[in-house]
Protein backbone atom coordinates (compact mmCIF):
# COMPACT_ATOMS: atom_id res chain seq x y z
CA UNK A 1 0.00 0.00 0.00
CA UNK A 2 1.40 3.38 -0.98
CA UNK A 3 -0.52 5.38 1.63
CA UNK A 4 -2.95 8.22 0.97
CA UNK A 5 -2.60 9.64 -2.51
CA UNK A 6 -3.75 13.10 -3.59
CA UNK A 7 -3.90 14.60 -7.04
CA UNK A 8 -2.92 17.01 -8.34
CA UNK A 9 -0.06 18.13 -6.10
CA UNK A 10 -0.36 21.71 -7.27
CA UNK A 11 -3.15 23.64 -8.93
CA UNK A 12 -3.10 27.23 -10.11
CA UNK A 13 -6.44 28.60 -11.20
CA UNK A 14 -8.00 31.92 -12.06
CA UNK A 15 -10.54 33.41 -9.74
CA UNK A 16 -14.02 32.26 -10.61
CA UNK A 17 -12.98 28.91 -12.07
CA UNK A 18 -14.01 25.55 -10.65
CA UNK A 19 -11.44 23.06 -9.40
CA UNK A 20 -11.64 19.42 -8.34
CA UNK A 21 -9.18 17.48 -6.22
CA UNK A 22 -8.97 13.74 -5.76
CA UNK A 23 -7.97 11.65 -2.75
CA UNK A 24 -7.31 7.91 -2.73
CA UNK A 25 -7.21 6.68 0.87
CA UNK A 26 -5.53 3.56 2.20
CA UNK A 27 -7.70 0.79 0.82
CA UNK A 28 -8.86 -0.74 4.10
CA UNK A 29 -9.63 2.61 5.73
CA UNK A 30 -13.32 3.40 6.06
CA UNK A 31 -13.02 6.96 7.28
CA UNK A 32 -11.84 9.81 5.09
CA UNK A 33 -11.31 13.41 6.10
CA UNK A 34 -10.66 16.65 4.24
CA UNK A 35 -8.73 19.45 5.94
CA UNK A 36 -7.46 22.81 4.75
CA UNK A 37 -4.18 24.33 5.91
CA UNK A 38 -2.93 27.87 5.39
CA UNK A 39 0.55 29.15 6.14
CA UNK A 40 1.36 29.18 9.82
CA UNK A 41 -1.84 27.45 10.83
CA UNK A 42 -2.84 23.96 11.80
CA UNK A 43 -5.13 21.91 9.56
CA UNK A 44 -8.76 23.06 9.64
CA UNK A 45 -11.55 20.48 9.39
CA UNK A 46 -13.69 20.61 6.25
CA UNK A 47 -15.65 17.37 6.04
CA UNK A 48 -15.64 13.70 6.96
CA UNK A 49 -16.91 10.45 5.41
CA UNK A 50 -17.51 7.03 6.79
CA UNK A 51 -17.59 4.77 3.77
CA UNK A 52 -19.75 6.67 1.25
CA UNK A 53 -21.73 8.64 3.82
CA UNK A 54 -20.74 12.25 4.43
CA UNK A 55 -21.28 12.53 8.17
CA UNK A 56 -20.30 16.11 8.83
CA UNK A 57 -19.44 19.27 6.98
CA UNK A 58 -17.84 22.27 8.65
CA UNK A 59 -20.12 25.25 9.20
CA UNK A 60 -17.25 27.38 7.92
CA UNK A 61 -17.54 25.74 4.53
CA UNK A 62 -19.55 27.71 2.02
CA UNK A 63 -21.94 26.20 -0.50
CA UNK A 64 -19.20 26.54 -3.10
CA UNK A 65 -17.50 23.51 -1.58
CA UNK A 66 -18.77 20.00 -2.16
CA UNK A 67 -17.26 16.60 -1.53
CA UNK A 68 -18.20 13.10 -2.58
CA UNK A 69 -17.02 9.62 -1.89
CA UNK A 70 -18.83 7.34 -4.31
CA UNK A 71 -18.68 3.64 -3.41
CA UNK A 72 -16.72 4.45 -0.30
CA UNK A 73 -13.39 4.45 -2.07
CA UNK A 74 -11.75 7.59 -3.49
CA UNK A 75 -13.10 11.03 -2.70
CA UNK A 76 -13.31 14.28 -4.63
CA UNK A 77 -13.45 17.83 -3.32
CA UNK A 78 -14.82 20.46 -5.66
CA UNK A 79 -14.61 24.19 -5.20
CA UNK A 80 -16.85 26.26 -7.45
CA UNK A 81 -16.25 29.89 -8.37
CA UNK A 82 -12.89 29.98 -6.61
CA UNK A 83 -11.85 33.04 -4.64
CA UNK A 84 -8.40 34.20 -3.60
CA UNK A 85 -9.21 33.24 -0.01
CA UNK A 86 -9.48 29.62 -1.13
CA UNK A 87 -5.73 29.50 -1.68
CA UNK A 88 -4.42 26.88 0.72
CA UNK A 89 -3.10 23.36 1.06
CA UNK A 90 -5.96 20.85 0.94
CA UNK A 91 -5.14 17.73 2.92
CA UNK A 92 -6.88 14.40 2.84
CA UNK A 93 -6.50 11.84 5.63
CA UNK A 94 -7.86 8.38 6.31
CA UNK A 95 -8.26 6.08 9.27
CA UNK A 96 -9.64 2.60 9.77
CA UNK A 97 -12.92 2.47 11.64
CA UNK A 98 -12.12 2.63 15.34
CA UNK A 99 -8.47 2.88 14.42
CA UNK A 100 -5.61 5.08 15.38
CA UNK A 101 -4.19 8.35 14.15
CA UNK A 102 -4.69 9.94 10.77
CA UNK A 103 -2.59 9.05 7.77
CA UNK A 104 -2.39 12.23 5.73
CA UNK A 105 -1.77 12.53 2.03
CA UNK A 106 0.82 14.95 0.67
CA UNK A 107 -1.90 17.47 -0.09
CA UNK A 108 -2.97 19.60 -3.03
CA UNK A 109 -1.69 23.15 -2.98
CA UNK A 110 -4.23 25.49 -4.55
CA UNK A 111 -3.29 28.97 -5.70
CA UNK A 112 -6.08 31.24 -6.92
CA UNK A 113 -4.83 34.18 -8.98
CA UNK B 1 -12.52 25.82 19.88
CA UNK B 2 -8.92 25.73 18.77
CA UNK B 3 -6.49 24.37 21.37
CA UNK B 4 -3.65 26.65 22.41
CA UNK B 5 -0.10 25.42 21.98
CA UNK B 6 2.95 26.73 23.78
CA UNK B 7 5.61 27.69 23.12
CA UNK B 8 5.11 28.94 19.56
CA UNK B 9 8.71 28.13 18.73
CA UNK B 10 11.71 26.55 20.39
CA UNK B 11 15.33 26.15 19.36
CA UNK B 12 17.42 23.33 20.79
CA UNK B 13 20.87 21.93 20.45
CA UNK B 14 21.09 18.26 19.62
CA UNK B 15 20.71 16.23 22.80
CA UNK B 16 18.61 18.77 24.68
CA UNK B 17 15.06 18.19 25.90
CA UNK B 18 11.84 20.04 25.09
CA UNK B 19 8.24 20.13 26.26
CA UNK B 20 5.34 21.28 24.11
CA UNK B 21 2.01 22.00 25.73
CA UNK B 22 -1.53 21.88 24.38
CA UNK B 23 -4.48 23.35 26.29
CA UNK B 24 -8.16 23.32 25.51
CA UNK B 25 -11.08 25.29 26.90
CA UNK B 26 -13.46 22.38 26.32
CA UNK B 27 -13.64 18.82 27.57
CA UNK B 28 -11.32 16.48 25.75
CA UNK B 29 -11.78 12.84 24.84
CA UNK B 30 -8.63 12.44 22.88
CA UNK B 31 -5.47 14.25 21.93
CA UNK B 32 -3.40 13.49 18.86
CA UNK B 33 0.14 14.68 18.21
CA UNK B 34 1.60 15.14 14.73
CA UNK B 35 4.89 16.39 13.32
CA UNK B 36 5.04 18.22 10.01
CA UNK B 37 8.24 18.98 8.14
CA UNK B 38 8.33 21.87 5.71
CA UNK B 39 6.45 21.07 2.53
CA UNK B 40 5.33 17.65 3.75
CA UNK B 41 2.17 16.16 5.19
CA UNK B 42 1.68 15.88 8.96
CA UNK B 43 2.87 12.55 10.35
CA UNK B 44 1.08 10.89 13.24
CA UNK B 45 3.11 10.49 16.44
CA UNK B 46 0.68 9.28 19.06
CA UNK B 47 -2.83 9.45 20.42
CA UNK B 48 -3.91 9.77 24.03
CA UNK B 49 -7.37 8.94 25.20
CA UNK B 50 -9.43 10.14 28.13
CA UNK B 51 -7.99 8.49 31.21
CA UNK B 52 -4.84 10.47 31.91
CA UNK B 53 -2.50 7.94 30.39
CA UNK B 54 1.00 8.60 29.30
CA UNK B 55 2.38 7.15 26.11
CA UNK B 56 5.71 7.09 24.46
CA UNK B 57 7.99 5.49 21.99
CA UNK B 58 11.68 5.98 21.54
CA UNK B 59 12.50 9.33 23.13
CA UNK B 60 9.14 10.99 22.51
CA UNK B 61 6.35 10.67 25.05
CA UNK B 62 3.15 12.49 25.96
CA UNK B 63 0.75 12.90 28.83
CA UNK B 64 -2.92 13.79 28.99
CA UNK B 65 -4.50 15.48 32.00
CA UNK B 66 -8.23 15.49 31.32
CA UNK B 67 -9.04 17.47 34.48
CA UNK B 68 -6.85 20.33 33.32
CA UNK B 69 -7.79 19.69 29.68
CA UNK B 70 -4.12 19.67 28.79
CA UNK B 71 -1.63 17.48 27.04
CA UNK B 72 2.14 17.75 26.93
CA UNK B 73 4.60 16.28 24.45
CA UNK B 74 8.06 15.46 25.80
CA UNK B 75 11.06 15.16 23.51
CA UNK B 76 14.21 13.94 25.20
CA UNK B 77 17.75 13.86 23.89
CA UNK B 78 16.58 15.59 20.73
CA UNK B 79 17.94 14.59 17.35
CA UNK B 80 18.24 16.66 14.18
CA UNK B 81 15.37 14.64 12.71
CA UNK B 82 13.01 16.00 15.38
CA UNK B 83 12.97 19.40 13.67
CA UNK B 84 9.57 20.38 12.34
CA UNK B 85 6.24 21.84 13.41
CA UNK B 86 4.35 19.91 16.06
CA UNK B 87 0.58 20.04 16.14
CA UNK B 88 -1.82 18.80 18.72
CA UNK B 89 -5.28 17.84 17.52
CA UNK B 90 -8.08 17.55 20.02
CA UNK B 91 -11.15 15.39 19.70
CA UNK B 92 -14.38 16.08 21.50
CA UNK B 93 -15.64 12.54 21.26
CA UNK B 94 -18.95 11.64 19.74
CA UNK B 95 -18.06 8.56 17.83
CA UNK B 96 -14.61 7.38 18.61
CA UNK B 97 -11.17 8.60 19.32
CA UNK B 98 -10.45 9.44 15.72
CA UNK B 99 -13.45 11.64 15.08
CA UNK B 100 -12.79 15.05 13.58
CA UNK B 101 -9.91 16.91 15.18
CA UNK B 102 -9.37 20.57 15.97
CA UNK B 103 -5.70 21.42 15.55
CA UNK B 104 -3.63 24.02 17.34
CA UNK B 105 -1.49 26.53 15.48
CA UNK B 106 1.61 24.45 15.96
CA UNK B 107 4.99 24.71 17.67
CA UNK B 108 8.05 25.12 15.47
CA UNK B 109 10.91 23.04 16.83
CA UNK B 110 14.40 23.56 15.46
CA UNK B 111 17.22 21.26 16.51
CA UNK B 112 20.71 22.50 15.70
CA UNK B 113 23.92 20.46 15.72
Amino acid sequence: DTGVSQNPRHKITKRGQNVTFRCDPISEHNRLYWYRQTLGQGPEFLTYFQNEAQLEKSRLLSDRFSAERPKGSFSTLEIQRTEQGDSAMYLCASTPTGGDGYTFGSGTRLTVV
Amino acid sequence: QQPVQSPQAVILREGEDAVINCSSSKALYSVHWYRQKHGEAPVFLMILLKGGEQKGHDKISASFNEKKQQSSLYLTASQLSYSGTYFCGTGGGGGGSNYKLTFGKGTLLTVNP
Side-chain angles (χ1 to χ4, degrees), chain B residues 9-24:
Chain B
V10 58
I11 299 175
L12 302 173
R13 287 197 178 270
E14 210 172 355
E16 291 182 337
D17 301 340
V19 180
I20 299 171
N21 299 303
C22 175
S23 298
S24 176

Side-chain angles (χ1 to χ4, degrees), chain A residues 31 33 35 56 100 102 105, chain B residues 34 41 47 98-101:
Chain A
R31 296 184 181 182
Y33 306 80
Y35 281 79
E56 186 168 341
D100 218 318
Y102 290 2
Chain B
Y34 293 81
I47 180 173
N98 55 349
Y99 189 57
K100 70 171 188 180
L101 298 176

